[in-house]
Amino acid sequence: MAKFETNLTSRPAIAKIKNPKSETDFYSHQGDALKGLRLAVGTRSKSWIMTKRVGGKVRSMKLGNWPDVVNGEKAMEIARDKIVELETGTDAQSTNVATLHDAFESHLSQSDAKGATIENYRLQVRNHLDVLFSLPIEKITLPMLEAAIADKGVSQALHLAQIIKMAFRRASTVRRCFDVSASLKVKGAKKYKPSNKVKFDASEQWPAIDLIFECNSLVHRTAWLLMLFTGFRSLNARTLMWDQVDLEKKTIELTAMKNGLDRTFPISDVICAALARLPHRKGFVFPADTPRSHTGHIGQLDARTRGIEMFEGNERPKKALRQHDCRRLFTTAARRARLPEYVIDELRGDTPKKVQDIYDQGSANHGDVNLIAERICAECGVTPCFVLDRIEGSS
């Protein structure tokens, strides 16, 4: 190891420094400026190092490589920021937030989101953002963020951008660093308008019940029936526990719904019969298909399909019924059955909108959900008795 002096403010002077054949040479600046700064010149690279006493300890900080950090003055700017981090306890080591993975886990630790929601976030990160989230926060640029979502559809890109922004907001708060994600935008987001329409003509006979009974899995089929005949969101249905179900009282209790509310819902005879067909009564109503599951319950249910469509020059199964379509159809059937709006709102689990809604202790009943079930069956061209027979005869 050899020590030298040179003009570290001059890029040409630094460029002339040759890499040694072995070990590492250290260069400090000629004169009184740039105190504590050295350029470590190894066999292949040149790295900026700052040595300074912080908090009673002498610390050595790597500031970056040359020519990324072009000269000593730029290195000192980086050093000043790192020293502030160390003095205020906002550096990576003190906060345990070195990467976006760390920042996101820190965010999730403070989140009130349901376990299934958190697992879905983690799954999205593993599948689409793992490389980006593994990088040191200070090395992430806006173009990197844009590239991470560039090849995604608008809906998925918006979801991933939301995750990125949650992680970066946490990082900027804990580390006091610049929030690069603040300027992240999704191309086409302004033109994107989520459709609330189902995949078939709702003015004609609905294929929903037939599509559901084409499902081979008893567990998946029952989950679809539950969503269709209750209007529950897929997350609430998939994560349902048996201790939330009372088949004698014909009710299901949902806690911490999307709007944060808890509510007990009456359920129709069709759903009571469907749930009674399941072979177990403990844990998740809809247990995972594999013991390797991270959650213990079934995951997102693939759309029910019928026929073939062309997509980007290739054939693919045509989606006919998606999870959230069940909520749309439940609402439509309730309105076509001419139920009062306040009853429909209650059965949908909507946030109270009027003073009377707030004071109402529960007006929807078993008869209301049976009326909706009858209407759903009628729209599908069958009767509740026909559906009950199919439930009893299925396995």
Side-chain angles (χ1 to χ4, degrees):
M1 180 181 70
K3 296 181 180 180
F4 304 94
E5 287 188 355
T6 190
N7 183 4
L8 294 182
T9 63
S10 169
R11 189 182 190 283
I14 298 169
K16 290 179 181 178
I17 299 175
K18 295 182 178 180
N19 296 87
K21 293 182 179 180
S22 62
E23 296 188 338
T24 301
D25 293 340
F26 289 89
Y27 288 77
S28 56
H29 182 64
Q30 292 174 336
D32 297 330
L34 310 184
K35 287 185 177 180
L37 181 68
R38 293 174 297 163
L39 182 67
V41 181
T43 57
R44 294 185 178 181
S45 64
K46 301 174 183 179
S47 304
W48 296 101
I49 306 292
M50 167 58 73
T51 302
K52 186 175 176 63
R53 182 177 292 274
V54 180
K57 296 180 180 179
V58 176
R59 296 176 180 261
S60 291
M61 297 163 275
K62 183 178 178 179
L63 309 176
N65 292 335
W66 184 90
D68 297 331
V69 181
V70 68
N71 58 33
E73 292 170 341
K74 293 294 182 182
M76 287 300 289
E77 291 178 11
I78 298 171
R80 281 190 283 271
D81 290 339
K82 284 189 174 289
I83 290 167
V84 169
E85 287 181 352
L86 289 169
E87 290 177 340
T88 57
T90 57
D91 61 295
Q93 185 175 355
S94 300
T95 60
N96 290 321
V97 175
T99 66
L100 282 184
H101 269 307
D102 300 330
F104 196 55
E105 287 302 318
S106 176
H107 166 77
L108 294 179
S109 70
Q110 302 300 315
S111 174
D112 292 326
K114 297 184 84 171
T117 302
I118 288 175
E119 281 304 314
N120 184 52
Y121 283 147
R122 287 176 173 147
L123 180 63
Q124 296 301 314
V125 171
R126 284 197 299 271
N127 288 345
H128 306 289
L129 302 171
D130 194 47
V131 174
L132 177 72
F133 272 43
S134 298
L135 296 173
I137 291 169
E138 55 270 19
K139 290 193 175 182
I140 296 176
T141 63
L142 181 59
M144 289 180 182
L145 302 183
E146 292 169 341
I149 62 174
D151 61 342
K152 306 296 188 289
V154 175
S155 178
Q156 187 179 41
L158 286 168
H159 186 50
L160 294 178
Q162 179 190 17
I163 292 173
I164 290 170
K165 289 185 176 185
M166 284 191 286
F168 246 115
R169 277 197 297 270
R170 183 64 177 173
S172 65
T173 301
V174 175
R175 292 280 306 275
R176 296 187 185 179
C177 60
F178 178 69
D179 185 357
V180 178
S181 71
S183 300
L184 180 62
K185 296 179 180 178
V186 176
K187 286 186 178 179
K190 289 184 178 180
K191 298 179 181 178
Y192 175 69
K193 293 181 180 179
S195 173
N196 266 318
K197 290 188 176 182
V198 295
K199 291 293 187 178
F200 51 85
D201 187 348
S203 65
E204 298 181 356
Q205 183 172 304
W206 298 354
I209 288 178
D210 285 342
L211 287 165
I212 290 172
F213 276 101
E214 289 171 6
C215 182
N216 293 324
S217 165
L218 173 63
V219 169
H220 288 202
R221 185 166 63 244
T222 307
W224 277 106
L225 288 171
L226 179 69
M227 291 188 292
L228 179 62
F229 284 93
T230 63
F232 290 171
R233 291 182 176 86
S234 65
L235 180 65
N236 296 123
R238 292 182 291 107
T239 60
L240 188 67
M241 305 285 289
W242 274 111
D243 58 12
Q244 296 172 253
V245 180
D246 191 326
L247 292 178
E248 291 186 6
K249 293 182 178 179
K250 298 181 179 180
T251 60
I252 288 177
E253 180 186 5
L254 296 186
T255 57
M257 293 184 292
K258 186 178 179 180
N259 54 14
L261 297 177
D262 301 343
R263 188 167 292 175
T264 299
F265 297 86
I267 55 176
S268 65
D269 294 333
V270 168
I271 290 305
C272 288
L275 292 175
R277 289 287 294 157
L278 294 173
H280 53 278
R281 290 292 180 275
K282 290 184 179 180
F284 287 110
V285 176
F286 306 114
D289 304 317
T290 169
R292 296 190 299 273
S293 167
H294 294 292
T295 63
H297 58 75
I298 59 172
Q300 297 281 356
L301 295 170
D302 292 335
R304 306 304 302 156
T305 61
R306 178 167 288 178
I308 298 294
E309 66 179 358
M310 297 301 295
F311 179 74
E312 295 181 351
N314 298 309
E315 290 186 348
R316 70 174 185 182
K318 185 177 181 180
K319 293 179 181 179
L321 184 70
R322 300 159 298 181
Q323 292 176 124
H324 206 66
D325 287 339
C326 294
R327 188 167 172 82
R328 297 180 178 107
L329 295 175
F330 176 85
T331 304
T332 304
R335 287 192 163 204
R336 290 182 181 179
R338 298 296 182 263
L339 266 68
E341 184 177 350
Y342 67 89
V343 171
I344 299 174
D345 287 349
E346 184 179 330
L347 291 174
R348 281 171 45 87
D350 291 340
T351 302
K353 301 177 180 67
K354 301 175 182 177
V355 174
Q356 286 187 23
D357 297 336
I358 297 171
Y359 279 82
D360 190 348
Q361 300 302 296
S363 298
N365 56 41
H366 184 64
D368 294 327
V369 289
N370 272 342
L371 280 174
I372 297 172
E374 288 176 14
R375 186 68 194 208
I376 291 172
C377 291
E379 296 290 351
C380 294
V382 297
T383 64
C385 288
F386 175 81
V387 175
L388 288 169
D389 287 343
R390 292 197 69 174
I391 289 171
E392 291 299 323
S394 63
S395 59

